[in-house]
Amino acid sequence: MPEEREEERPSARMGPWRFVVWFGTVSMLADVVYEGARSITGPLLASLGASSLVVGVVTGAGEAAALGLRLLSGPMADRTRRFWGLAIAGYALTAVSVPLLGVAGVLWAACVLVIAERVGKAVRSPAKDTLLSHATAATGRGRGFAVHEALDQIGALAGPLLVAGVLALTGNDYGPALGVLAVPGIAVLLLLFWLRARVPDPEAYEREVTGVVPATARVPESRLPRAFWTYAAFTAATTTGFATFGVLSYHLVERHLLSAAWVPVLYAGAMAVDAVAALATGWLYDRVGPRVLLALPVLTAGVVALAFTDTVAIAVAGSLVWGAAMGIQESTLRATVADLVPSGRRATAYGLFAGVVGAASLAGGALTGGLYGYSIPLLITVVVAIQVLAVALLAATRAGRRH
């Protein structure tokens, strides 16, 4: 009898924590692939004859595709309910595009492959986050997304280091450096097919916790909750004041605080802080709820207050604070979306949320970069003011949830 019940409930064939860890392993291996490629995209395109303008346009178009196309892939996932299919298709596009970059040989083909890799991320992300959200209903939203993010960051560190090592061994030959990334790419797809076979219906995790089938599971036309839109406004505000690492590293090198060779080392340190912050705030989220997100506006204001000084130790500390803020953005922010939106509209919500984050990131980069060149004190003042607004919007989100 117990065996029959397990057959009826596919999720029972793997515990929710194991599912989160294995899915985190998928993301870790995928990060080895695409973060490894992104670490040398500029030099690779330049070696094929690209100007700085072409590199900027192509990489910018790729990032726009990675975020903007989720506005389409999210609703598509909810409408078709093919979460596994879209996740696998997106990962497959990345796994194929990256090794081909090493043998493209001509600029136009390399440009197409760079953008195709980012399209793969757009296709898979809303479906992937939705699949993960079902398991985190059982593990705790904050902890589940935090563990996933921590594993993800291991890949973000390992990929560029692997590519750098192969380049050093081969005399800067991009073919082998990108070709070796086919191995983790194949591993990603094998793991995904295995996970789908073990857990064909991850939504069962959430049903087992709530005891009910979500009423909106097959009604994607229903409106998103008002609290989601308020939360999206909070995210837009706090992201608009968030300086990019590009601006931070520009300051460090231009003011002769660090040499260019040390910037990647500092970035690696920021990524390590990212993983720790994700784990810490994820566990706190499950204990105290969205109040933990108050840390994000504080950290965002702290970045500009610290990172743009002319003292090496303080500026480096600001960059590490940037890493902590990134950890919250990549984990706990996504966990809250799952708590605010019913299962049937969750992929749509993740797609819209990514669009908001993308637009706010563009605005934030322009704002901080522009004000940095004009007046650093004014930059700090404006960012602090924006973060005060973000705190008010977070309070409104919490009030909306109670109602």
Side-chain angles (χ1 to χ4, degrees), residues 170-182:
T170 61
N172 293 324
D173 188 340
Y174 292 110
L178 291 167
V180 73
L181 299 177

Side-chain angles (χ1 to χ4, degrees), residues 16 49 56 76 103 129 144 158 166-167 179 189 199 206 213 226 281 283 310 372 388 391-392:
M76 180 188 298
V103 296
D129 286 342
V166 177
L167 286 174
L189 296 178
V199 190
E206 193 161 345
V213 177
R226 181 179 298 177
T281 57
W283 283 82
D310 289 328
Y372 172 83
V388 170
V391 170

